[in-house]
């Protein structure tokens, strides 16, 4: 990995540990995954390295095999529209457009908005979508990724349910929630948003969600606070 390219790509991402291990994993990721620019986006090496390095952070201690089920990373210049279809109880088909900054397709690619990946200070769309990918390894995204031997599924579910319900409750009562309100959408979104916070703002995450922080540290096999 060229030093200048690495600095240009990740210099402002101060939550990323600048270690040989992350650089090596990033190179492997770039070799294994296929990046595609959508809507005529010309992907540069800086963009690819920036996305790959952030994507590798969650699997730094797990290994790239955890991303083995897909190969594509599609990058749009900005937020993108997807058409949604739903059939309601009466058999009526509803169609609408969603405007997205990222999407993790089950069994398919990760889709990202470069604009959101690079410039949205409220979220980390790369960590968010790749956390969904890990969650989907054992079926539909439900906020429970495949846990390691020695971890208790019941404990994970109880800890996250309590944190999620407390969060939704605070949101409903109009309290300042710190975490992105989008986390209230679904347990799987709560897991993805809390994963972003775990890596980006570990001290505050542990202060507010001590039990969930501990579960995340066990799952990701790393404690970002110990790096700081
Ligand atoms: Zn999401």
């Amino acid at each position: 990995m060229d030093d200048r390219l690495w600095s240009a790509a990740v210099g402002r991402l101060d939550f990323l540990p600048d270690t040989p291990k992350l650089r090596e994993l990033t190179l492997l990721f770039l070799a294994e995954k296929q990046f595609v620019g959508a809507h005529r986006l010309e992907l540069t090496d800086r963009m690819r390295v920036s996305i790959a390095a952030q994507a590798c952070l969650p699997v730094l201690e797990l290994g790239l095999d955890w991303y083995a089920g897909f190969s594509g990373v599609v990058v749009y210049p900005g937020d993108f529209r997807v058409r949604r279809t739903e059939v309601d109880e009466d058999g009526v088909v509803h169609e609408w457009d969603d405007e997205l900054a990222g999407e993790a397709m089950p069994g398919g690619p990760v889709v990202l908005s470069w604009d959101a990946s690079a410039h949205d200070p409220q979220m980390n769309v790369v960590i968010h979508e790749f956390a969904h990918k890990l969650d989907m390894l054992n079926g539909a995204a439900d906020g429970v990724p495949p846990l390691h031997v020695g971890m208790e599924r019941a404990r994970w579910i109880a800890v996250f349910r309590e944190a999620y319900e407390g969060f939704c409750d605070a949101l409903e009562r109009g309290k300042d929630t710190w975490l992105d309100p989008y986390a209230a959408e679904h347990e799987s979104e709560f897991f993805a948003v809390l994963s972003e916070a775990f890596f980006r703002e570990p001290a505050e995450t542990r202060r507010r969600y001590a039990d969930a922080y501990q579960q995340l540290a066990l799952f990701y096999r790393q404690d970002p606070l110990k790096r700081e």
Side-chain angles (χ1 to χ4, degrees):
M1 176 71 67
D2 179 85
D3 267 340
R4 282 227 313 254
L5 173 58
W6 178 260
S7 308
V10 308
R12 289 189 309 163
L13 306 170
D14 52 9
F15 56 91
L16 287 179
D18 188 1
T19 60
K21 190 171 185 171
L22 183 62
R23 290 193 191 204
E24 274 163 34
L25 202 65
T26 301
L27 280 174
L28 271 176
F29 184 97
L30 290 166
E32 276 187 16
K33 304 298 179 202
Q34 202 183 359
F35 279 73
V36 179
H39 284 182
R40 294 200 203 125
L41 175 67
E42 295 259 4
L43 278 170
T44 63
D45 284 344
R46 190 177 70 85
M47 290 167 159
R48 272 188 283 262
V49 170
S50 171
I51 290 169
Q54 294 178 75
C56 283
L57 182 58
V59 294
L60 190 59
E61 302 299 332
L62 299 174
L64 267 193
D65 283 355
W66 285 67
Y67 292 154
F70 66 100
S71 60
V73 179
V74 180
V75 189
Y76 281 83
D79 289 4
F80 49 94
R81 265 165 199 273
V82 291
R83 171 124 296 200
R84 303 284 191 203
T85 312
E86 201 173 79
V87 183
D88 71 16
E89 289 164 351
D90 301 321
V92 179
V93 180
H94 299 269
E95 282 194 349
W96 69 98
D97 286 332
D98 256 353
E99 187 89 2
L100 300 180
E103 188 175 33
M105 313 262 210
V110 170
V111 188
L112 299 166
S113 146
W114 171 250
D115 189 44
S117 304
H119 305 120
D120 192 338
Q122 303 301 321
M123 67 185 303
N124 185 295
V125 68
V126 181
I127 291 176
H128 184 104
E129 299 308 332
F130 282 86
H132 280 319
K133 273 292 184 193
L134 297 174
D135 188 357
M136 287 172 187
L137 282 171
N138 54 354
D142 60 357
V144 191
L147 304 176
H148 308 300
V149 175
M151 292 182 74
E152 279 177 51
R153 190 179 159 84
R155 168 85 180 138
W156 177 283
I157 289 171
V159 163
F160 275 86
R161 183 159 299 155
E162 195 192 323
Y164 178 66
E165 282 171 3
F167 176 77
C168 293
D169 197 51
L171 200 64
E172 241 166 60
R173 286 185 288 130
K175 281 189 162 180
D176 174 27
T177 55
W178 181 64
L179 271 189
D180 187 344
Y182 185 68
E185 290 278 313
H186 189 265
E187 276 112 325
S188 62
E189 296 302 342
F190 188 75
F191 165 68
V193 171
L194 204 59
S195 291
E196 295 174 48
F198 172 77
F199 288 110
R200 278 182 31 165
E201 292 172 89
E204 194 61 14
T205 306
R206 193 176 67 173
R207 196 175 75 75
R208 290 173 184 260
Y209 297 99
D211 292 341
Y213 184 94
Q214 195 190 21
Q215 291 297 308
L216 289 171
L218 288 171
F219 171 64
Y220 288 115
R221 291 190 166 144
Q222 48 181 313
D223 185 346
L225 260 185
K226 294 204 172 127
R227 280 200 285 270
E228 293 201 327

